[in-house]
């Protein structure tokens, strides 16, 4: 399964700790979407990240290929129990991303991926801790400067940004 990582899952060290068997595929963009924070995350003490349809915008991220063991670990972390389970904290869907800098030596291409996004409950700005990890990951993955600037400017709970 191909997984589109964004937000804090961009940080290679954090992601590798959770999904050690994952295979890195490359940098990708999800067209016509933007980040938003429709729920509260106890782990981050602030908004949980989701995806909103937004014509003309892009969410940049990183694609991994997950083996079954890593998929179980990811779903446990994301709090996804299965299709239609009311305990799910996230929605699971598929989407098409544009793989722009594949690390597997192939040419750029469109790729169907699995996405997880926070289920809407009570929206809140993300915490400064969340933003720090997301920005660190975006820098590590050398995402486009304009996207990085947009991410850095994300308002956080308490009013401060990086």
């Amino acid at each position: 399964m191909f997984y589109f990582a964004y937000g804090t899952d961009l940080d290679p060290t954090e992601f590798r700790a959770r999904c050690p068997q994952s295979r890195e595929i490359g940098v990708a963009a999800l067209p016509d979407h933007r980040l938003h924070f429709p729920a509260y995350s106890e782990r981050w003490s602030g908004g949980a990240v989701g995806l909103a349809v937004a014509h003309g915008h892009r969410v940049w991220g990183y694609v991994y290929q997950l083996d079954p063991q890593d998929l179980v670990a990811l779903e446990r972390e994301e709090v996804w129990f299965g299709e239609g389970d009311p305990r799910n904290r996230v929605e699971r869907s598929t989407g098409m991303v544009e793989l722009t800098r594949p690390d597997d030596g192939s040419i750029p291409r469109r790729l169907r991926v699995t996405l997880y996004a926070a289920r809407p409950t009570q929206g809140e700005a993300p915490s400064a801790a969340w933003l720090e990890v997301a920005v660190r990951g975006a820098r590590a993955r050398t995402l486009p400067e304009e996207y990085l600037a947009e991410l850095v400017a994300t308002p956080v709970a308490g009013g401060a940004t990086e």
Side-chain angles (χ1 to χ4, degrees):
M1 175 185 92
F2 293 111
Y3 168 64
F4 180 68
Y6 61 96
T8 57
D9 280 349
L10 287 170
D11 186 286
T13 303
E14 291 222 358
F15 194 79
R16 182 68 58 201
R18 186 169 48 244
C19 298
Q21 304 304 315
S22 62
R23 185 172 147 239
E24 295 188 0
I25 302 300
V27 173
L30 178 65
D32 297 322
H33 285 79
R34 66 173 173 76
L35 297 181
H36 79 130
F37 300 88
Y40 181 80
S41 166
E42 290 88 15
R43 175 180 179 206
W44 292 105
S45 300
V49 70
L51 298 167
V53 174
H55 183 69
H57 292 266
R58 292 172 163 246
V59 172
W60 285 89
Y62 200 81
V63 176
Y64 293 92
Q65 186 169 23
L66 302 182
D67 73 3
Q69 184 177 352
D70 283 339
L71 179 59
V72 168
L74 178 68
E75 289 178 345
R76 182 175 36 249
E77 180 72 26
E78 297 291 343
V79 190
W80 193 82
F81 296 98
E83 198 66 44
D85 193 308
R87 299 173 296 164
N88 291 341
R89 293 268 177 104
V90 296
E91 300 287 343
R92 177 178 167 175
S93 63
T94 60
M96 295 296 287
V97 296
E98 298 164 354
L99 193 62
T100 60
R101 294 197 313 258
D103 291 342
D104 63 358
S106 67
I107 60 170
R109 63 190 187 277
R110 291 178 56 84
L111 187 64
R112 181 169 297 286
V113 295
T114 298
L115 309 156
Y116 293 88
R119 290 176 96 174
T121 55
Q122 181 176 347
E124 182 171 325
S127 66
W130 180 92
L131 185 59
E132 179 183 332
V133 174
V135 168
R136 183 175 64 225
R139 286 184 175 136
R141 295 300 184 187
T142 60
L143 298 186
E145 285 299 319
E146 12 358 300
Y147 185 76
L148 182 59
E150 191 178 309
L151 188 60
V152 166
T154 301
V156 295
T161 57
E162 186 193 57

